[in-house]
Amino acid sequence: MSITLNISQRNLVLQRMAVLVDHQREAIIEANNKDLASYSISDSHQDDKAMYDRLKVDESKIEGMLAALQQLTDQEDPVGVERFRFTHDNGMQVYNKTASFGTVLIIYESRPDVTIEAAGIAFKSGNRILLKGGKESLNSNLEIVRLWHQALVENDIDKDWVQYLNYNRQETRSFLEKPTQKVDLIVPRGGEKLIEFVKMHATCPVIVSGRGNNFVYVHKEADRALALDNIINGKTDKISACNAVDKVLIDKNLPNKEGFVRNLITVLKNYDVEILGDKSLANYEEVTPISNDAIWYEEFLDYKIVIGEIEGSNKAISKINQYSGGHSAAIITGNQKEAEAFMASVDCAAVYHNVSTRFTDGFQLGLGGELAISTDKLHQRGPIGLQHLVTNKWYIHGDGQIR
C-alpha cells in the first residue's frame, strides 16, 4: 500500500465512484428506504422534520452526489501548492507547500450524502477517511461505502483509504478518547449535542461545523419587496439547512412598517411557519409573544421564526453579535454605506447585502462543495472546500549548510 496517492489515482477513484453511484442509484435509494422506514416508526424522532429531510435520499440528492464527484474530479490538486518561497543568505532554498492532514474522521448525523460529498473532499485532499455516521442512516451509508471500496479496489488501492466505523455512542467515545489508529483531524457534522460530545472527548484537533441561528436585518432604507422575498426564501426553502433564517430584525423607522409586517406575517402563515414576536408585534393575533430572551439564541431547524423591532443599525449589529451562531447574517438596504458598515461589524462567517443566507454553501460560493461550514476562526471560517482541507509543510533544500 502506497504511503500517499498521487492526483491521478485520486481522480480515477472519484471518476469511478461517480459511475458506480449513477449505476447503483436504485440500490442506494432502496437502502435509504429501509432507513426511512425505521426512522418513521421511532417515537423519539416522529416530529423531527429537519432530520427526516436530511436523511432522505431521492433522485435529486443522487444528482447532487454525482455533481459533487464530478466537480471534485475537475478541480486542481490542493496538495503540494507552493504558498511561500525564500532564498536564505547561505543559499538554502526554502519553500512552504500545502500538505494533507493524514487521516480525517468525519462524524455525522442523518445525511447519507455526507458519505460521498464530505468524504470525497477529504479524499481528493489526499487524506485517509474514517466515517462515523448515525444509526438512523446505517443502511444508506454502508451501501455507499461499499461503492467506495469497489472504486478503490478497481484502481488497485487498498480499501482502508475509506473506512466506516459502525460504533455505538460508548464505542465512539472510547475511540475519540483513545483512538485505535492515527487520527489527525475530526470534523463533526450535526447538531450542537453531537458537536459538544466530540469536543469534550476528542484528543486531536476538531473543526467545528457550528449552529446556524441566522439573522436578517431589514434596514429603514430597505426595498420591502426584496426584504420579503429574502426572508421567505431564507426561512422556507430548506428548514433543515444550517443557513436557514431563524431571526428577523425590522428597523423601527422602516416606512410603512406596519404594512410590511402584516404582509410578512401573511406570507409566513401561508407556509405554516410558527411566528414568535417581541412586544412590537403584540397586536397581531397570529404571533406568539416571546416568553424570554433565551429564544434569540435558538436554532430552530423547523418552520419557526422570531421577529423583532430594532432601533437602527448599531443596535441590530449588537444584537446579532450577542445572539447569533456566528454563521450567516444579512442586511436588506439600498444604502451601500450602511451595508458595508454592517458587513464589517457583524461577527459571522458569511455576511450578505440584499442576498439570501441560503447561499452559505460551498457549492454556491464556488468551492465545488464543502466538508463543513465552520463557525470557528481557525484554521478556516465558513464553507470548508477542497482547497481548505490541507495543512502546510516546509521544504528546505541545500548543499551542506549548517548553523
PDB file of all heavy atoms in Angstrom, residues 329-352:
ATOM      1  N   ALA A 329     -25.435  36.244   8.354  1.00  0.00           N
ATOM      2  CA  ALA A 329     -26.341  37.349   8.657  1.00  0.00           C
ATOM      3  C   ALA A 329     -26.474  38.217   7.423  1.00  0.00           C
ATOM      4  O   ALA A 329     -25.526  38.355   6.644  1.00  0.00           O
ATOM      5  CB  ALA A 329     -25.830  38.182   9.832  1.00  0.00           C
ATOM      6  N   ALA A 330     -27.665  38.805   7.242  1.00  0.00           N
ATOM      7  CA  ALA A 330     -27.929  39.615   6.059  1.00  0.00           C
ATOM      8  C   ALA A 330     -28.522  40.961   6.451  1.00  0.00           C
ATOM      9  O   ALA A 330     -29.285  41.054   7.423  1.00  0.00           O
ATOM     10  CB  ALA A 330     -28.878  38.889   5.111  1.00  0.00           C
ATOM     11  N   ILE A 331     -28.174  41.977   5.678  1.00  0.00           N
ATOM     12  CA  ILE A 331     -28.825  43.280   5.796  1.00  0.00           C
ATOM     13  C   ILE A 331     -29.548  43.551   4.476  1.00  0.00           C
ATOM     14  O   ILE A 331     -28.999  43.305   3.391  1.00  0.00           O
ATOM     15  CB  ILE A 331     -27.821  44.413   6.105  1.00  0.00           C
ATOM     16  CG1 ILE A 331     -28.556  45.760   6.233  1.00  0.00           C
ATOM     17  CG2 ILE A 331     -26.702  44.485   5.084  1.00  0.00           C
ATOM     18  CD1 ILE A 331     -27.659  46.903   6.711  1.00  0.00           C
ATOM     19  N   ILE A 332     -30.768  44.056   4.584  1.00  0.00           N
ATOM     20  CA  ILE A 332     -31.536  44.447   3.411  1.00  0.00           C
ATOM     21  C   ILE A 332     -31.619  45.963   3.418  1.00  0.00           C
ATOM     22  O   ILE A 332     -32.245  46.561   4.298  1.00  0.00           O
ATOM     23  CB  ILE A 332     -32.955  43.833   3.422  1.00  0.00           C
ATOM     24  CG1 ILE A 332     -32.892  42.335   3.734  1.00  0.00           C
ATOM     25  CG2 ILE A 332     -33.637  44.089   2.086  1.00  0.00           C
ATOM     26  CD1 ILE A 332     -32.064  41.515   2.774  1.00  0.00           C
ATOM     27  N   THR A 333     -30.942  46.586   2.458  1.00  0.00           N
ATOM     28  CA  THR A 333     -30.923  48.046   2.410  1.00  0.00           C
ATOM     29  C   THR A 333     -30.494  48.523   1.022  1.00  0.00           C
ATOM     30  O   THR A 333     -29.775  47.823   0.312  1.00  0.00           O
ATOM     31  CB  THR A 333     -29.950  48.624   3.469  1.00  0.00           C
ATOM     32  OG1 THR A 333     -30.009  50.045   3.439  1.00  0.00           O
ATOM     33  CG2 THR A 333     -28.520  48.181   3.222  1.00  0.00           C
ATOM     34  N   GLY A 334     -30.931  49.723   0.683  1.00  0.00           N
ATOM     35  CA  GLY A 334     -30.465  50.365  -0.537  1.00  0.00           C
ATOM     36  C   GLY A 334     -29.296  51.293  -0.294  1.00  0.00           C
ATOM     37  O   GLY A 334     -28.790  51.927  -1.220  1.00  0.00           O
ATOM     38  N   ASN A 335     -28.844  51.354   0.960  1.00  0.00           N
ATOM     39  CA  ASN A 335     -27.767  52.253   1.350  1.00  0.00           C
ATOM     40  C   ASN A 335     -26.450  51.466   1.396  1.00  0.00           C
ATOM     41  O   ASN A 335     -26.221  50.680   2.323  1.00  0.00           O
ATOM     42  CB  ASN A 335     -28.082  52.872   2.717  1.00  0.00           C
ATOM     43  CG  ASN A 335     -27.095  53.953   3.119  1.00  0.00           C
ATOM     44  OD1 ASN A 335     -25.897  53.808   2.933  1.00  0.00           O
ATOM     45  ND2 ASN A 335     -27.610  55.042   3.689  1.00  0.00           N
ATOM     46  N   GLN A 336     -25.592  51.678   0.408  1.00  0.00           N
ATOM     47  CA  GLN A 336     -24.349  50.920   0.305  1.00  0.00           C
ATOM     48  C   GLN A 336     -23.438  51.141   1.508  1.00  0.00           C
ATOM     49  O   GLN A 336     -22.804  50.214   2.012  1.00  0.00           O
ATOM     50  CB  GLN A 336     -23.609  51.319  -0.979  1.00  0.00           C
ATOM     51  CG  GLN A 336     -22.345  50.526  -1.259  1.00  0.00           C
ATOM     52  CD  GLN A 336     -22.613  49.092  -1.640  1.00  0.00           C
ATOM     53  OE1 GLN A 336     -23.680  48.762  -2.152  1.00  0.00           O
ATOM     54  NE2 GLN A 336     -21.640  48.227  -1.375  1.00  0.00           N
ATOM     55  N   LYS A 337     -23.367  52.373   1.986  1.00  0.00           N
ATOM     56  CA  LYS A 337     -22.509  52.681   3.130  1.00  0.00           C
ATOM     57  C   LYS A 337     -22.968  51.937   4.380  1.00  0.00           C
ATOM     58  O   LYS A 337     -22.155  51.387   5.134  1.00  0.00           O
ATOM     59  CB  LYS A 337     -22.500  54.190   3.378  1.00  0.00           C
ATOM     60  CG  LYS A 337     -21.522  54.630   4.455  1.00  0.00           C
ATOM     61  CD  LYS A 337     -21.481  56.155   4.576  1.00  0.00           C
ATOM     62  CE  LYS A 337     -20.504  56.595   5.658  1.00  0.00           C
ATOM     63  NZ  LYS A 337     -20.472  58.078   5.793  1.00  0.00           N
ATOM     64  N   GLU A 338     -24.290  51.909   4.611  1.00  0.00           N
ATOM     65  CA  GLU A 338     -24.827  51.178   5.759  1.00  0.00           C
ATOM     66  C   GLU A 338     -24.530  49.685   5.628  1.00  0.00           C
ATOM     67  O   GLU A 338     -24.200  49.009   6.603  1.00  0.00           O
ATOM     68  CB  GLU A 338     -26.341  51.396   5.864  1.00  0.00           C
ATOM     69  CG  GLU A 338     -26.736  52.758   6.388  1.00  0.00           C
ATOM     70  CD  GLU A 338     -26.526  52.892   7.888  1.00  0.00           C
ATOM     71  OE1 GLU A 338     -26.375  51.857   8.575  1.00  0.00           O
ATOM     72  OE2 GLU A 338     -26.515  54.040   8.378  1.00  0.00           O
ATOM     73  N   ALA A 339     -24.669  49.174   4.415  1.00  0.00           N
ATOM     74  CA  ALA A 339     -24.410  47.753   4.184  1.00  0.00           C
ATOM     75  C   ALA A 339     -22.962  47.404   4.493  1.00  0.00           C
ATOM     76  O   ALA A 339     -22.671  46.394   5.147  1.00  0.00           O
ATOM     77  CB  ALA A 339     -24.746  47.390   2.738  1.00  0.00           C
ATOM     78  N   GLU A 340     -22.035  48.232   4.032  1.00  0.00           N
ATOM     79  CA  GLU A 340     -20.615  47.957   4.253  1.00  0.00           C
ATOM     80  C   GLU A 340     -20.260  48.013   5.734  1.00  0.00           C
ATOM     81  O   GLU A 340     -19.469  47.195   6.225  1.00  0.00           O
ATOM     82  CB  GLU A 340     -19.775  48.946   3.449  1.00  0.00           C
ATOM     83  CG  GLU A 340     -19.847  48.705   1.942  1.00  0.00           C
ATOM     84  CD  GLU A 340     -19.163  49.795   1.131  1.00  0.00           C
ATOM     85  OE1 GLU A 340     -18.672  50.761   1.751  1.00  0.00           O
ATOM     86  OE2 GLU A 340     -19.122  49.669  -0.107  1.00  0.00           O
ATOM     87  N   ALA A 341     -20.848  48.971   6.451  1.00  0.00           N
ATOM     88  CA  ALA A 341     -20.584  49.068   7.888  1.00  0.00           C
ATOM     89  C   ALA A 341     -21.133  47.849   8.624  1.00  0.00           C
ATOM     90  O   ALA A 341     -20.477  47.294   9.523  1.00  0.00           O
ATOM     91  CB  ALA A 341     -21.205  50.347   8.447  1.00  0.00           C
ATOM     92  N   PHE A 342     -22.321  47.418   8.249  1.00  0.00           N
ATOM     93  CA  PHE A 342     -22.944  46.234   8.843  1.00  0.00           C
ATOM     94  C   PHE A 342     -22.078  45.002   8.589  1.00  0.00           C
ATOM     95  O   PHE A 342     -21.765  44.225   9.506  1.00  0.00           O
ATOM     96  CB  PHE A 342     -24.337  46.054   8.235  1.00  0.00           C
ATOM     97  CG  PHE A 342     -25.059  44.807   8.668  1.00  0.00           C
ATOM     98  CD1 PHE A 342     -25.919  44.836   9.753  1.00  0.00           C
ATOM     99  CD2 PHE A 342     -24.923  43.615   7.963  1.00  0.00           C
ATOM    100  CE1 PHE A 342     -26.611  43.682  10.145  1.00  0.00           C
ATOM    101  CE2 PHE A 342     -25.610  42.467   8.339  1.00  0.00           C
ATOM    102  CZ  PHE A 342     -26.446  42.501   9.437  1.00  0.00           C
ATOM    103  N   MET A 343     -21.662  44.814   7.346  1.00  0.00           N
ATOM    104  CA  MET A 343     -20.914  43.613   6.970  1.00  0.00           C
ATOM    105  C   MET A 343     -19.545  43.574   7.639  1.00  0.00           C
ATOM    106  O   MET A 343     -19.038  42.503   7.977  1.00  0.00           O
ATOM    107  CB  MET A 343     -20.789  43.536   5.449  1.00  0.00           C
ATOM    108  CG  MET A 343     -22.136  43.398   4.755  1.00  0.00           C
ATOM    109  SD  MET A 343     -22.062  43.568   2.955  1.00  0.00           S
ATOM    110  CE  MET A 343     -21.548  41.914   2.481  1.00  0.00           C
ATOM    111  N   ALA A 344     -18.948  44.736   7.849  1.00  0.00           N
ATOM    112  CA  ALA A 344     -17.646  44.790   8.512  1.00  0.00           C
ATOM    113  C   ALA A 344     -17.758  44.512  10.011  1.00  0.00           C
ATOM    114  O   ALA A 344     -16.820  43.990  10.622  1.00  0.00           O
ATOM    115  CB  ALA A 344     -17.005  46.153   8.287  1.00  0.00           C
ATOM    116  N   SER A 345     -18.901  44.839  10.604  1.00  0.00           N
ATOM    117  CA  SER A 345     -19.043  44.793  12.059  1.00  0.00           C
ATOM    118  C   SER A 345     -19.703  43.532  12.585  1.00  0.00           C
ATOM    119  O   SER A 345     -19.483  43.157  13.747  1.00  0.00           O
ATOM    120  CB  SER A 345     -19.854  46.006  12.538  1.00  0.00           C
ATOM    121  OG  SER A 345     -19.211  47.210  12.175  1.00  0.00           O
ATOM    122  N   VAL A 346     -20.515  42.860  11.771  1.00  0.00           N
ATOM    123  CA  VAL A 346     -21.186  41.641  12.219  1.00  0.00           C
ATOM    124  C   VAL A 346     -20.181  40.492  12.248  1.00  0.00           C
ATOM    125  O   VAL A 346     -19.464  40.242  11.276  1.00  0.00           O
ATOM    126  CB  VAL A 346     -22.380  41.303  11.304  1.00  0.00           C
ATOM    127  CG1 VAL A 346     -22.863  39.886  11.548  1.00  0.00           C
ATOM    128  CG2 VAL A 346     -23.510  42.290  11.542  1.00  0.00           C
ATOM    129  N   ASP A 347     -20.130  39.790  13.365  1.00  0.00           N
ATOM    130  CA  ASP A 347     -19.130  38.746  13.579  1.00  0.00           C
ATOM    131  C   ASP A 347     -19.672  37.381  13.149  1.00  0.00           C
ATOM    132  O   ASP A 347     -19.935  36.507  13.972  1.00  0.00           O
ATOM    133  CB  ASP A 347     -18.712  38.727  15.052  1.00  0.00           C
ATOM    134  CG  ASP A 347     -17.494  37.853  15.303  1.00  0.00           C
ATOM    135  OD1 ASP A 347     -16.801  37.504  14.328  1.00  0.00           O
ATOM    136  OD2 ASP A 347     -17.248  37.514  16.476  1.00  0.00           O
ATOM    137  N   CYS A 348     -19.852  37.220  11.847  1.00  0.00           N
ATOM    138  CA  CYS A 348     -20.330  35.954  11.286  1.00  0.00           C
ATOM    139  C   CYS A 348     -19.388  35.497  10.169  1.00  0.00           C
ATOM    140  O   CYS A 348     -18.676  36.312   9.572  1.00  0.00           O
ATOM    141  CB  CYS A 348     -21.741  36.113  10.716  1.00  0.00           C
ATOM    142  SG  CYS A 348     -23.028  36.295  11.975  1.00  0.00           S
ATOM    143  N   ALA A 349     -19.427  34.221   9.883  1.00  0.00           N
ATOM    144  CA  ALA A 349     -18.557  33.670   8.836  1.00  0.00           C
ATOM    145  C   ALA A 349     -18.939  34.187   7.458  1.00  0.00           C
ATOM    146  O   ALA A 349     -18.085  34.338   6.583  1.00  0.00           O
ATOM    147  CB  ALA A 349     -18.622  32.144   8.861  1.00  0.00           C
ATOM    148  N   ALA A 350     -20.229  34.448   7.231  1.00  0.00           N
ATOM    149  CA  ALA A 350     -20.698  34.965   5.944  1.00  0.00           C
ATOM    150  C   ALA A 350     -21.679  36.099   6.210  1.00  0.00           C
ATOM    151  O   ALA A 350     -22.606  35.957   7.020  1.00  0.00           O
ATOM    152  CB  ALA A 350     -21.371  33.871   5.124  1.00  0.00           C
ATOM    153  N   VAL A 351     -21.476  37.226   5.543  1.00  0.00           N
ATOM    154  CA  VAL A 351     -22.369  38.381   5.698  1.00  0.00           C
ATOM    155  C   VAL A 351     -22.887  38.777   4.318  1.00  0.00           C
ATOM    156  O   VAL A 351     -22.162  38.745   3.328  1.00  0.00           O
ATOM    157  CB  VAL A 351     -21.653  39.562   6.378  1.00  0.00           C
ATOM    158  CG1 VAL A 351     -21.465  39.287   7.856  1.00  0.00           C
ATOM    159  CG2 VAL A 351     -20.286  39.837   5.745  1.00  0.00           C
ATOM    160  N   TYR A 352     -24.151  39.147   4.260  1.00  0.00           N
ATOM    161  CA  TYR A 352     -24.838  39.367   2.995  1.00  0.00           C
ATOM    162  C   TYR A 352     -25.488  40.740   2.929  1.00  0.00           C
ATOM    163  O   TYR A 352     -26.001  41.244   3.931  1.00  0.00           O
ATOM    164  CB  TYR A 352     -25.932  38.309   2.806  1.00  0.00           C
ATOM    165  CG  TYR A 352     -25.426  36.911   2.628  1.00  0.00           C
ATOM    166  CD1 TYR A 352     -25.224  36.081   3.722  1.00  0.00           C
ATOM    167  CD2 TYR A 352     -25.166  36.398   1.359  1.00  0.00           C
ATOM    168  CE1 TYR A 352     -24.766  34.778   3.562  1.00  0.00           C
ATOM    169  CE2 TYR A 352     -24.712  35.100   1.186  1.00  0.00           C
ATOM    170  CZ  TYR A 352     -24.513  34.298   2.289  1.00  0.00           C
ATOM    171  OH  TYR A 352     -24.059  33.011   2.118  1.00  0.00           O
TER     172      TYR A 352
END
